Amino acid sequence: MKRDRSTVFRDGPAGAANNTQAQGGYDAYFGSYTVDDATGVVTQRLEGSLSQANVGDVLLREMNVDGNSLIIKLATTAWDGSAVTRTLTWERVG
């Protein structure tokens, strides 16, 4: 989700490479995943999504564990078609 949703956002592109379609700055999906420790890749299979067009998609994410951090990156495209890399960092607490 975009941090500041006080302005109107264009929906994400339906054909964004390796990503789901955001709607109004928000995205949600669920499904199963597998982890390949040898290559550092997480493969997600979408069983449900905010955007019906993404149901059944298979997404690839690069992952790395560094100490107490799990870092997941995905190469995709922004709404205007420009290349972006999105990064999600999870920190273990306690």
Side-chain angles (χ1 to χ4, degrees):
M1 177 185 326
K2 296 266 187 202
R3 289 183 181 162
D4 177 8
R5 294 182 68 206
S6 61
T7 58
V8 176
F9 291 97
R10 291 181 54 181
D11 289 348
N18 198 32
N19 205 6
T20 55
Q21 183 177 3
Q23 297 182 8
Y26 180 77
D27 189 14
Y29 55 86
F30 65 90
S32 62
Y33 67 92
T34 57
V35 176
D36 185 334
D37 289 324
T39 62
V41 173
V42 177
T43 302
Q44 296 175 301
R45 289 167 182 76
L46 305 189
E47 297 171 27
S49 178
L50 182 62
S51 173
Q52 180 63 30
N54 295 125
V55 174
D57 284 357
V58 175
L59 307 175
L60 302 176
R61 310 295 197 226
E62 173 189 330
M63 72 162 198
N64 181 44
V65 176
D66 184 12
N68 286 330
S69 299
L70 169 62
I71 303 162
I72 299 176
K73 294 184 178 184
L74 63 134
T76 187
T77 51
W79 65 267
D80 63 359
S82 60
V84 296
T85 299
R86 296 192 172 144
T87 304
L88 174 64
T89 303
W90 294 91
E91 296 283 338
R92 181 180 298 202
V93 179

